[in-house]
Amino acid sequence: MNGCPEFQDRLVEQALGGEPAPDVAAHLAACHGCARAFEGLRERAAQMEAGLRALAAAEPPARLANRILAAIPRPGLPARLDWRIAIPALGLAAALIISAFNGAFNGAPRRQADVPREAAALAAWRSPTEFLLRSTIEPLLNDTPRLGRAAVTPGGDTNVH
Amino acid sequence: MGPEPDAAEFEQRVREFGRTVFQVAYSVLGNTADAEDVTQDAFLRAYRKYSSLRDPAKFGAWVARMSWRLAVNRHRSWRRAARRDWAWLASPNAMENPELDAAGREFELRLRNEIARLPEKLQAVLLLSGIEGLDAHSVAAILVIPEGTVRSRLHQARRRLLKALSE
């Protein structure tokens, strides 16, 4: 943009449709440089206005309305899964389950009263196949022989007592 | 929260305001794909928050405001990703409008770049005022500012833009 510096802002105003001031009109009639600059500004302003309208002049695709309506949750149907919410929620649920599991098997304090009862139960426990290891002479083997007492009766049975 | 809107009523609103809401997003983003995404997001939010709308007559401005904010946020994220230049260059309808000749495309790119240099408040009124059917009253309703402020900002924006384009 050329022309006299003191008139430039006023030429811009006038090119944008501002009220023509008498002193500007008189200057334009006398100054060839400003007159040429003003013509350039008016052309540029028209181009700018057309360009501004064109920036948003795009038409939406015909499918857009149906796409929006299809995305709206219908009554009775589950809303579309939002993974931005679902992933953290699943993570939180997994963390709660793991912490509950750890608490049940590791973290929960045991009552002292339970310990002797569990120990007694363990001591009384016998293998289901333990009877296979027993023999008819087992009582004899477990018995301590005493002096003057027969270990085996004449009938062949072991002398238990 | 109150009840959601009647489906048929909401469909009518989508068809009535969809074009304007899309163009609001398009004016900021400059490409159809992103403008479509933003338009859909804006209407879905409007559907969920319908009960918070006190005056149903203001639905158009309300959902257009959502579209504007979503579009501006998306554009900011582009800038944060240092892809603004790519977005401005690749997205405007210079790429989508085959009727524009080389000079027209060059001018449009320059126009977008000069608008991007303006303060956001001026950009807003400039872009929204360029949308067909949006007068100062409508722009004021979308941006929730007085109508007089829209007019003064628009004048300031056009003046600065013309000076920049004439250098």
Side-chain angles (χ1 to χ4, degrees):
Chain A
M1 183 173 67
N2 294 316
C4 303
E6 66 272 26
F7 276 94
Q8 283 184 353
D9 284 345
R10 299 182 73 188
L11 293 181
V12 168
E13 287 286 342
Q14 201 159 318
L16 288 169
E19 286 293 317
D23 59 330
V24 175
H27 180 75
L28 285 174
C31 178
H32 185 66
C34 280
R36 199 168 53 193
F38 181 62
E39 280 306 307
L41 280 170
R42 286 179 60 179
E43 286 176 16
R44 189 56 97 183
Q47 197 178 13
M48 181 184 83
E49 299 297 345
L52 286 172
R53 284 192 298 274
L55 286 183
E59 289 298 320
R63 63 177 181 272
L64 181 58
N66 290 335
R67 179 185 154 181
I68 293 167
L69 294 170
I72 289 173
R74 304 288 174 83
L77 291 177
R80 193 177 56 168
L81 188 61
D82 189 343
W83 289 105
R84 289 171 298 185
I85 296 171
I87 289 175
L90 286 173
L92 180 63
L96 287 172
I97 290 169
I98 290 169
S99 65
F101 185 84
N102 285 339
F105 288 91
N106 297 324
R110 302 175 70 187
R111 291 186 302 161
Q112 288 297 318
D114 290 340
V115 176
R117 192 164 52 203
E118 289 173 6
L122 189 62
W125 182 81
R126 292 290 181 269
S127 166
T129 57
E130 190 179 9
F131 72 96
L132 296 174
L133 301 174
R134 291 180 183 166
S135 69
T136 54
I137 63 168
E138 189 181 359
L140 179 64
L141 295 174
N142 288 335
D143 194 20
T144 304
R146 291 179 186 170
L147 187 63
R149 185 179 173 192
V152 178
T153 60
D157 290 337
T158 54
N159 182 14
V160 177
H161 290 293
Chain B
M1 294 289 287
E4 289 173 337
D6 174 69
E9 177 194 345
F10 197 79
E11 178 176 349
Q12 187 186 345
R13 289 180 178 276
V14 169
R15 299 197 186 282
E16 185 179 356
F17 297 106
R19 182 171 179 266
T20 301
V21 172
F22 171 84
Q23 288 183 338
V24 166
Y26 190 92
S27 70
V28 179
L29 299 168
N31 74 82
T32 301
D34 283 293
E36 269 192 86
D37 288 347
V38 165
T39 304
Q40 177 176 326
D41 203 1
F43 273 109
L44 285 179
R45 284 170 189 236
Y47 184 83
R48 293 191 197 105
K49 297 179 178 177
Y50 192 77
S51 60
S52 67
L53 178 64
R54 291 175 186 170
D55 184 359
K58 293 180 179 174
F59 179 85
W62 183 59
V63 72
R65 181 160 61 250
M66 289 185 194
S67 177
W68 172 261
R69 285 179 180 165
L70 289 167
V72 168
N73 286 342
R74 185 172 288 217
H75 188 252
R76 280 182 187 148
S77 72
W78 289 352
R79 285 197 297 191
R80 277 198 295 271
R83 285 185 284 144
R84 180 191 60 182
D85 290 342
W86 175 86
W88 280 112
L89 286 170
S91 63
N93 47 3
M95 298 296 178
E96 298 184 348
N97 186 355
E99 293 177 3
L100 279 177
D101 58 12
R105 291 177 186 183
E106 186 182 344
F107 179 75
E108 184 176 325
L109 291 177
R110 190 173 172 206
L111 183 63
R112 283 195 179 272
N113 282 325
E114 293 298 343
I115 292 171
R117 289 196 178 99
L118 294 173
E120 281 195 8
K121 287 179 178 179
L122 300 187
Q123 287 184 37
V125 291
L126 198 60
L127 291 172
L128 290 174
S129 298
I131 296 172
E132 183 188 346
L134 290 189
D135 55 11
H137 179 76
S138 305
V139 173
I142 292 171
L143 297 175
V144 199
I145 56 176
E147 201 173 320
T149 306
V150 170
R151 293 185 199 282
S152 65
R153 284 183 186 173
L154 181 59
H155 183 68
Q156 193 183 346
R158 290 167 73 225
R159 199 172 58 219
R160 288 173 67 160
L161 190 60
L162 179 57
K163 286 176 81 171
L165 290 171
S166 302
E167 285 174 352

